[in-house]
Amino acid sequence: MKRIVVAALACTLAFPVLAKDIATVNGQGISQENLDQFVSLLIEQGAQDTPQLRDQVKQEMISRLVAVQAAEKAGLQKEPAIRMETELATQGILVRALMSRYLKDHPITEADLQKEYDTIKAEQGDRKEYKLRHILVKAEDDAKALIQAIKDKKTTFEDAAKKDSIDPGSGQNGGELGWGPSSNYVPEFAAAVESMNKGDLTNAPVQTQFGWHVIEVEDTRPVAFPSFDEAKPQLEEMMRQSALAEYQKSLMESAKIVETPAN
């Protein structure tokens, strides 16, 4: 709890004195309104409004003001590094407040979420997962020979993978890669998989940065799409971030910016 209080009080000295003082430090007052405002912030973060909390906030505000007065007396606020840090902190607070205000004024509605969900589902509803196995070799001719041997039933895919595959992860398991979307693999491999059906063996070796692949699609199934309720939290956050990005872009486009060339 103390960490929450300290964090919330980071801005306490910026508030003007508009009400009865609850304490003074070297003649500088700390108002009841300041205390009430910060207690409200802590309540929003999950704290309970209790006499103990209010006393803790009060003591922290007093301690903080004592330290700030000492820093100002030492002239620290005039040091360039401190001025820069203060300016950056103020900018950060203002930017966060601006973005928060924008989202408050332009909320993501339930209808917005449903529309976006339906769009994504329509785009991705036909996605598949593939149960694959492969044999990886260095030379194209070796891969071609393996394909022909498997088709002629001179060997099985599993035996060929155990004997010839240079992929240490899958080779000893008969080339098994398990279930997954084609996006799990490098583009050349993925493109080959997407062109195949259940039970297919590649007619020609597939080259990737790793070597030459012989691929077999053991099975396929549709990707289970999450329900609206399951997707809603992630979808809402995605739409909020997208809205903020568009807002920031509009601010940049409407601003008159003149950059000075570097010397």
Side-chain angles (χ1 to χ4, degrees):
M1 175 60 70
K2 186 172 182 179
R3 288 197 302 272
I4 296 177
V5 173
V6 171
L9 289 172
C11 304
T12 186
L13 301 178
F15 287 162
V17 177
L18 300 174
K20 176 183 176 182
D21 289 341
I22 57 169
T24 60
V25 176
N26 297 321
Q28 184 175 348
I30 300 173
S31 73
Q32 179 69 47
E33 183 172 341
N34 280 3
L35 181 87
D36 292 341
Q37 287 173 334
F38 276 102
V39 168
S40 295
L41 289 176
L42 294 173
I43 291 172
E44 290 176 4
Q45 297 173 20
Q48 296 294 319
D49 188 354
T50 64
Q52 292 81 7
L53 175 66
R54 287 181 171 271
D55 184 64
Q56 185 181 0
V57 171
K58 177 180 177 179
Q59 296 307 316
E60 186 64 35
M61 292 175 77
I62 292 172
S63 175
R64 183 65 61 91
L65 185 52
V66 168
V68 168
Q69 287 179 351
E72 290 176 342
K73 185 176 181 180
L76 296 180
Q77 74 278 13
K78 299 177 182 178
E79 293 186 3
I82 300 300
R83 289 204 308 269
M84 175 60 71
E85 189 172 349
T86 302
E87 183 178 347
L88 290 174
T90 300
Q91 289 177 356
I93 292 169
L94 289 173
V95 169
R96 287 195 299 274
L98 179 66
M99 297 301 129
S100 179
R101 174 67 63 83
Y102 180 82
L103 289 175
K104 182 179 179 181
D105 292 343
H106 303 82
I108 306 298
T109 67
E110 192 80 1
D112 294 332
L113 290 168
Q114 185 67 59
K115 182 179 179 181
E116 186 69 13
Y117 174 83
D118 292 341
T119 299
I120 295 174
K121 186 175 181 179
E123 292 173 349
Q124 302 184 8
D126 59 350
R127 289 188 308 156
K128 291 182 180 179
E129 285 185 321
Y130 301 85
K131 188 172 187 289
L132 305 175
R133 54 184 178 181
H134 83 139
I135 302 169
L136 177 63
V137 293
K138 291 183 178 179
E140 181 181 11
D141 287 343
D142 291 340
K144 288 180 177 179
L146 286 171
I147 292 173
Q148 194 60 51
I150 293 170
K151 286 184 175 182
D152 292 343
K153 301 188 183 302
K154 293 180 179 180
T155 186
T156 65
F157 197 104
E158 182 178 0
D159 289 342
K162 289 180 178 180
K163 179 177 180 293
D164 298 301
S165 183
I166 60 174
D167 179 359
S170 68
Q172 294 309 304
N173 291 324
E176 291 286 351
L177 294 173
W179 284 99
S182 60
S183 58
N184 283 358
Y185 306 102
V186 294
E188 302 88 347
F189 193 103
V193 168
E194 289 169 0
S195 70
M196 299 167 68
N197 297 312
K198 176 180 177 180
D200 283 354
L201 177 71
T202 44
N203 290 317
V206 177
Q207 186 180 23
T208 71
Q209 67 207 63
F210 304 107
W212 293 88
H213 303 260
V214 178
I215 306 170
E216 183 180 49
V217 177
E218 295 186 275
D219 202 355
T220 65
R221 65 187 181 191
V223 174
F225 201 81
S227 68
F228 176 69
D229 288 339
E230 290 171 333
K232 185 176 176 180
Q234 184 177 355
L235 189 60
E236 184 170 13
E237 180 59 24
M238 180 188 75
M239 293 183 69
R240 284 162 62 92
Q241 293 303 320
S242 178
L244 290 179
E246 286 298 317
Y247 177 48
Q248 289 175 310
K249 181 181 177 181
S250 70
L251 291 175
M252 292 291 291
E253 290 175 345
S254 63
K256 184 179 180 181
I257 301 171
V258 179
E259 295 191 37
T260 303
N263 294 329

